[in-house]
Amino acid sequence: MSSLRRADLLALSNLRNDGRKAHEIRRMRIQMGCCDVSTSNNSNTSGSAIVQMGLTSVMATVSGPMDCTRKSDEIADRATLDVQVRVAPFAASSGDRRYMNPNTDRRLLEQANLIQRAMEASILMQLHPRSKIEISIVVLADDGGRLCVAINAATLALIDAGIAVRDFVCACSAGLMDDVALVDLNRQELSNYDNTSAVYLPCACMPQRNTIVLAQCESRLASAETLDRVLKAAMAGCQAVFEVMSNAVRERATSLHTANQGTAKVLLNFQHG
């Protein structure tokens, strides 16, 4: 009896290369408040979060609201938002460890601009006039979809910092390959997009308002129906991401409330050298 490879078994079961169904997102892990304000190198750090989707991991930290460095940067009736995206040298799964300058690299600047626009749609900027909010994003591991994971991490860091937002900004990608709509594509699936008929669409929305704040598609679309199909798949993925993020926020709020009431349990782990 001939043995079947794992890829053959997945194909026979109509599963993707990592065992997911077409409509399923990757497993998410969330840690809010990962950077202690008292021990952070940046004393202005107000909130932080690490989000993992599959093998892609992103850390976001928020500083502010704080005074602008220059008077010319101030806006009389609203705050200004600065976003910087960096990639750790060990993040690339391809083995390329070249340093990418966040101030000059075109792809990082473009992603920072997209994240800034998505966050500005949710933050109540008018509550902090003549002030500045900084979001620093570090990609720790990249297995595809880092823009969406960065948006999710930035949202949770803003909530951890106590900055008022209209709604969660949840992001997820979707694609169309061989006439099958896939949600939350990983790097291996993206590398198979040599086919000109393939479609890839990162999307960010405010799920409770049913409002799309970001949708970027650089693929050639055959028809409006194709766009509608992929967009619906991405919105369904955003809704699944929202469920995980909202649960993480509830757990964070519960732990802070418990600590404030003085009923938190402290676990000490002593290691003998």
Side-chain angles (χ1 to χ4, degrees):
M1 182 176 180
S2 61
S3 60
L4 293 176
R5 298 181 303 171
R6 180 176 181 272
D8 297 330
L9 291 174
L10 292 174
L12 290 173
S13 304
N14 291 325
L15 298 177
R16 296 155 69 176
N17 55 40
D18 53 4
R20 290 181 291 151
K21 296 180 180 179
H23 65 277
E24 291 179 339
I25 65 172
R26 291 174 289 181
R27 182 177 180 181
M28 289 187 66
R29 298 180 179 88
I30 295 174
Q31 180 183 358
M32 298 180 65
C34 54
C35 297
D36 188 1
V37 176
S38 60
T39 59
S40 175
N41 293 330
N42 187 359
S43 59
N44 293 324
T45 299
S46 306
S48 58
I50 294 179
V51 175
Q52 293 179 317
M53 292 186 70
L55 299 179
T56 301
S57 179
V58 175
M59 180 178 68
T61 57
V62 172
S63 301
M66 57 187 175
D67 294 334
C68 295
T69 307
R70 297 174 298 182
K71 283 288 184 180
S72 59
D73 295 335
E74 294 182 356
I75 301 177
D77 59 346
R78 61 188 293 271
T80 59
L81 180 64
D82 291 336
V83 178
Q84 185 181 70
V85 179
R86 293 180 294 159
V87 178
F90 50 81
S93 58
S94 60
D96 185 2
R97 297 194 175 187
R98 290 177 297 178
Y99 172 73
M100 291 183 288
N101 191 331
N103 298 317
T104 58
D105 187 83
R106 182 183 59 83
R107 289 176 298 177
L108 295 182
L109 291 174
E110 180 184 3
Q111 290 185 351
N113 182 48
L114 293 174
I115 296 171
Q116 178 180 346
R117 289 163 52 188
M119 294 298 106
E120 285 180 340
S122 178
I123 301 174
L124 297 175
M125 307 287 282
Q126 68 274 14
L127 297 181
H128 310 286
R130 300 183 183 276
S131 61
K132 178 176 65 172
I133 300 173
E134 291 183 349
I135 302 177
S136 177
I137 295 172
V138 181
V139 179
L140 304 176
D142 185 7
D143 188 47
R146 72 181 185 188
L147 174 62
C148 296
V149 182
I151 291 176
N152 297 331
T155 299
L156 292 173
L158 287 169
I159 295 174
D160 187 57
I163 296 177
V165 294
R166 294 180 177 87
D167 192 1
F168 285 73
V169 178
C170 304
C172 185
S173 63
L176 191 66
M177 182 181 297
D178 297 330
D179 203 37
V180 177
L182 304 178
V183 175
D184 190 18
L185 281 73
N186 56 32
R187 177 173 290 276
Q188 183 175 348
E189 291 170 333
L190 289 172
S191 65
N192 295 331
Y193 263 46
D194 296 332
N195 186 2
T196 56
S197 63
V199 178
Y200 176 66
L201 175 70
C203 176
C205 71
M206 293 189 285
Q208 297 177 102
R209 290 173 171 251
N210 199 26
T211 302
I212 297 175
V213 296
L214 173 66
Q216 184 188 32
C217 183
E218 299 178 355
S219 308
R220 181 174 297 178
L221 300 175
S223 62
E225 289 76 12
T226 302
L227 175 61
D228 184 63
R229 183 180 175 188
V230 177
L231 191 58
K232 284 183 178 179
M235 291 288 286
C238 291
Q239 189 64 39
V241 170
F242 168 68
E243 297 295 333
V244 180
M245 291 174 61
S246 59
N247 289 334
V249 172
R250 292 191 193 98
E251 292 179 3
R252 173 65 170 166
T254 301
S255 63
L256 292 176
H257 177 72
T258 302
N260 188 45
Q261 296 297 319
T263 57
K265 296 181 179 179
V266 179
L267 300 178
L268 299 179
N269 183 16
F270 294 98
Q271 296 182 354
H272 297 281

